[in-house]
Amino acid sequence: MSPGQVREVRKEIQQFLLQYEFGLREIETKLSILRDEFLELRDYNPIEHISSRVKSPESLLEKVARKGVPRDLTSIREHVTDIAGVRVTCSFVSDVYRLFELLTRQDDVSVRTVKDYIADPKPNGYQSLHAVVEIPVYLSSGPVAVPVEVQFRTVAMDFWASLEHKIHYKYDGGVPESLTEELREAAATATELDARMARLHAQIHGPRV
């Protein structure tokens, strides 16, 4: 490719990823509004932390190659649904499902897929609620439906997932079976901690409406 063609391809990818950045902002705004409403009107914050990211061009192309997806942008949009991602860390498991419902019942949010790894954890013990939602982004050229992956998890689940990722990275995927078993046990402990903290909260503050 000539330098001019390279610049054109790079510009096209940047414009493509910009749509996901805008979609990310829309979802973050909706979650921030819910958080502020709970704080102001109900004196309770179900959201501990919100983080987000859009895949870099290099990370995106690596995943496209790994999954065998054609490199045209239409195929990438259809087959890669986690280009834009938001992680919502909640206080309790009940908050996870509550926020999922409040977000996805909004008229301009449509649900593409849901994977409930809380009700059905992964074999390694991973727990989280994953939802791929679509949100319209209104550009000068017209509206574009942008998919955004939203992960809901508790503080304990997030702590476990962060450590598991570091261990997985250190061993380059080949984690010894002894450590794998300990991780599963730690995940069970995190689940028990979530349940215990929820019971303590209910004893102190009463059931939440």
Side-chain angles (χ1 to χ4, degrees):
M1 297 177 67
S2 68
Q5 288 174 317
V6 171
R7 285 194 298 270
E8 189 62 32
V9 169
R10 183 174 296 170
K11 180 180 178 181
E12 187 178 9
I13 292 175
Q14 287 174 338
Q15 290 175 339
F16 176 73
L17 291 178
L18 195 59
Q19 297 175 10
Y20 287 85
E21 178 66 39
F22 295 153
L24 205 62
R25 293 184 199 174
E26 294 282 354
I27 295 297
E28 284 182 304
T29 298
K30 289 177 177 295
L31 290 168
S32 296
I33 288 172
L34 288 171
R35 178 181 58 193
D36 293 347
E37 180 196 357
F38 272 95
L39 279 171
E40 293 295 329
L41 302 182
R42 308 188 190 191
D43 195 29
Y44 174 72
N45 180 17
I47 299 176
E48 296 286 343
H49 182 64
I50 299 174
S51 59
S52 63
R53 61 100 184 99
V54 174
K55 282 187 181 296
S56 66
E58 295 78 15
S59 176
L60 176 58
L61 292 176
E62 179 186 335
K63 182 158 191 175
V64 165
R66 190 169 66 250
K67 294 185 68 174
V69 175
R71 289 199 171 196
D72 63 281
L73 298 183
T74 300
S75 297
I76 293 174
R77 184 186 296 279
E78 180 181 354
H79 295 287
V80 184
T81 57
D82 64 344
I83 297 175
V86 179
R87 182 174 298 155
V88 186
T89 306
C90 304
S91 305
F92 304 104
V93 174
S94 57
D95 295 326
V96 166
Y97 292 108
R98 189 180 194 185
L99 285 166
F100 167 76
E101 180 185 1
L102 290 173
L103 176 65
T104 56
R105 76 183 185 189
Q106 297 186 27
D107 292 341
D108 56 346
V109 176
S110 57
V111 179
R112 285 180 57 169
T113 61
V114 178
K115 294 180 180 179
D116 189 348
Y117 296 117
I118 298 175
D120 186 19
K122 288 186 176 183
N124 66 348
Y126 175 84
Q127 297 185 62
S128 185
L129 179 65
H130 292 199
V132 177
V133 301
E134 276 190 349
I135 185 78
V137 171
Y138 294 90
L139 305 173
S140 59
S141 56
V144 177
V146 177
V148 178
E149 183 187 63
V150 188
Q151 297 181 1
F152 300 88
R153 60 178 63 159
T154 66
V155 175
M157 293 174 195
D158 190 58
F159 176 66
W160 181 94
S162 176
L163 290 180
E164 192 273 344
H165 177 76
K166 291 175 182 176
I167 293 172
H168 193 83
Y169 181 81
K170 176 178 175 61
Y171 286 95
D172 195 22
V175 181
E177 180 58 33
S178 59
L179 278 180
T180 300
E181 182 58 33
E182 285 201 51
L183 282 169
R184 281 193 288 264
E185 292 176 3
T189 301
T191 301
E192 182 183 350
L193 178 62
D194 273 333
R196 180 174 295 181
M197 296 305 293
R199 288 194 298 270
L200 286 172
H201 188 274
Q203 289 175 17
I204 297 169
H205 299 282
R208 296 191 302 279
V209 178

